[in-house]
Structure formats: C-alpha cells, structure tokens
Amino acid sequence: MGKSLVLHWPEDPVSYFPPFMSSLDQVGVSNSFMHPLTASATLNIFLAPFSLVVARLRGTRIIHLHWTYQFGLHWARTRRRRRFLRAWFRVWLLTLRVVGLRLVWTAHNVVPHEPVFDDDVEARKTLIRFCDAVIAHDESTAEKVRRNFGATSVYVIPQGAYEVVHLDRDASRAELGWINSDQKLIACVGAIRPYKGFSDLLRATLELAKDDSKVMGDLKVLIAGQSLDALLSNELSQLAKLCRSHGVEVRLHASYLSEHEVAVIHSAADAVALPFRSVS
C-alpha cells in the first residue's frame, strides 16, 4: 500500500487513470492505488476496514472509490448473502468515517451494470451519505446522482480524450495481420461479462451459418477483452468452435487491451456489436 495522500480503490488498469493520477501529481497531491492485501477476493473484502486503518496511519487522507464490484463475490449469489455484503460495505464506510478519512466516489455508472448487493439503489444512497464529494463524467450523470440519490457536492470531470489512432480500414487490418480487405469483421470489445450478451451473438451467428454457410463464409467475428468470468469464457470457446465447424471464423482474444489495440480493432471492423442483455 503506497504512502499517498489519496488512495484509489480498487486497483484497475483502465486507461483514464494514468492522466487522472498524473494530474494529481502535477498539483502536488501524492496518489496511488490501494493494492490488494492477498490473492483472495473474499479475504480482501473482509480485511478492507483494516486496510483503511493502516492507510490512515501511513498518512492517507482521502479514499477515492470508483467501483463497488469488488463486493460482488462469487459465492454471494443469494439475496441473504448479498444483504450481508451490503451491511459489510456499510461497516467499511463507517470505519472510513471513524478513522478520519475523506471519501470521493466517481460515478462511472449511476448503479452497477450487474447486481452487486441485494439492493444496489439503497447501497448507492448509503454511499452518497458518506461521500465528501462525487465525480461525474458528464452533466447528465451528475444530475441523475443529485436527483436520484441526493448528492450535493458533485463535480463534473470528463474522462478526456484517449489515444487517437489515424489508421484507415486496410491499415488497421494489416496491423491485425489475420484479415484481408474482402472479408467482413464484426467486433465485440470489452470485459467479458454475462450481461454483455457475447454468447448470444455467437449463437445467432451459428444459426445463420447453419442456414447458409456459404454466405457466412467471408465473415469473421472477434471478441476481445479481459476475461472476468471463467465459465463464460469456456462457453464462448465452445460456441466459437461450433461456428468454425460451420465455416465462420471466430477469434477470442481474452486479455486486457490497450487503447491503441481497441482503436485498431474498431478501425478494422465493419460493425461493432454491443449485444447487451440488460443493465441494472
């Protein structure tokens, strides 16, 4: 755990953090990630209040919370267990207040895309009551946080511009190295999670290929992103194998993507699919 005035939790490699952290450094605010204490997600959550005490003793004054998904533990599938974790989240918030830490939350999502607690709206209301400030990426989100959860100290900080890759379709495909200019590419980019419906896209692709494999023969499907669900990754692998057996090439790239890689894939694609099932 770094000796920093501000600690960001949880640790996350997403691309908006380097410029955000660099900007804090430039104005003299030391900051770093609050690193996990162990390799166990469950143990880390139960040690989270203790981590706050240690952080305060080491000189930290502000905790920047930007997700709550770390409380969505794999064994917490029942409403009772999720209710317990919401209570533990409140313990974490109370500990933060008792030891004298300030809390800033970035509202990347008004509520989580997938359920974390038994009642994510109530969890958000509790979080807001403990926040000293809330960051939103746009005025629309800021207004929702104010209206739906009673937040008062809300500040809009846009995510900013990511790397711009000036590549045309053919140049992007040449960089990928496995698709020519005559083929069609559908790309799905993002962390592999059930709610995103990537498996639904592959099932639809498979059904179309069964009906007319000749027409579908020039089609390639790319699913690229960090794998956060092992069972889903296995399911996607099996569906990809079936699609290939009917003449449609499906590529799975289950790892973290840099902004450059994301831009190249988007430039190379004929269509970007976002087959979300639902978001909460």
Side-chain angles (χ1 to χ4, degrees):
M1 186 182 298
K3 296 180 181 179
S4 303
L5 188 66
V6 177
L7 284 179
H8 310 281
W9 190 58
E11 187 173 4
D12 199 308
V14 289
S15 56
Y16 50 75
F17 259 107
F20 182 65
M21 296 173 75
S22 176
S23 297
L24 289 175
D25 285 330
Q26 289 172 17
V27 295
V29 178
S30 58
N31 68 109
S32 62
F33 285 113
M34 180 183 286
H35 302 297
L37 295 178
T38 76
S40 166
T42 297
L43 188 55
N44 289 335
I45 285 300
F46 285 112
L47 290 175
F50 171 76
S51 298
L52 293 175
V53 177
V54 173
R56 186 67 185 90
L57 291 173
R58 292 170 64 91
T60 297
R61 298 296 303 276
I62 299 170
I63 299 297
H64 172 214
L65 178 72
H66 59 106
W67 304 111
T68 58
Y69 66 72
Q70 61 272 33
F71 285 88
L73 299 172
H74 66 90
W75 49 264
R77 293 291 183 261
T78 66
R79 186 172 183 81
R80 178 177 296 180
R81 291 178 179 180
R82 285 181 172 173
R83 187 184 302 120
F84 167 76
L85 285 171
R86 181 159 62 95
W88 191 249
F89 180 47
R90 183 177 175 81
V91 169
W92 182 82
L93 292 167
L94 285 167
T95 303
L96 184 144
R97 179 70 58 82
V98 167
V99 301
L101 287 163
R102 298 294 186 92
L103 178 64
V104 177
W105 169 54
T106 292
H108 301 299
N109 312 110
V110 178
V111 293
H113 286 320
E114 296 177 286
V116 174
F117 303 110
D118 64 304
D119 190 329
D120 284 300
V121 172
E122 283 302 313
R124 282 288 193 258
K125 290 179 180 177
T126 302
L127 171 59
I128 291 294
R129 286 196 293 271
F130 281 88
C131 279
D132 295 280
V134 175
I135 296 171
H137 293 312
D138 53 62
E139 189 55 46
S140 174
T141 301
E143 178 55 31
K144 289 177 183 176
V145 173
R146 295 187 191 102
R147 183 179 66 250
N148 297 343
F149 302 107
T152 52
S153 299
V154 184
Y155 303 88
V156 175
I157 302 178
Q159 290 192 32
Y162 295 154
E163 177 184 355
V164 177
V165 180
H166 297 287
L167 293 175
D168 61 22
R169 181 174 179 270
D170 289 339
S172 297
R173 292 185 171 206
E175 184 166 336
L176 289 177
W178 46 263
I179 181 169
N180 61 44
S181 60
D182 298 327
Q183 295 169 317
K184 302 298 182 184
L185 175 63
I186 296 176
C188 297
V189 180
I192 295 174
R193 299 294 295 165
Y195 75 90
K196 293 189 176 181
F198 293 167
S199 57
D200 295 336
L201 176 68
L202 291 189
R203 289 191 185 93
T205 301
L206 178 60
E207 291 305 311
L208 289 171
K210 287 178 179 178
D211 288 341
D212 197 334
S213 58
K214 185 176 181 180
V215 171
M216 299 290 284
D218 288 332
L219 178 67
K220 292 179 181 286
V221 178
L222 171 63
I223 295 177
Q226 190 174 12
S227 177
L228 300 178
D229 190 307
L231 290 177
L232 178 57
S233 294
N234 290 335
E235 180 184 5
L236 291 175
S237 295
Q238 293 300 316
L239 287 168
K241 185 177 180 180
L242 288 172
C243 287
R244 294 184 198 111
S245 70
H246 286 81
V248 178
E249 183 177 352
V250 175
R251 286 182 173 248
L252 302 178
H253 183 82
S255 63
Y256 176 74
L257 298 173
S258 68
E259 284 301 316
H260 178 84
E261 290 173 307
V262 171
V264 168
I265 291 170
H266 282 168
S267 298
D270 295 287
V272 175
L274 302 171
F276 286 16
R277 295 171 177 171
S278 65
V279 291
S280 59

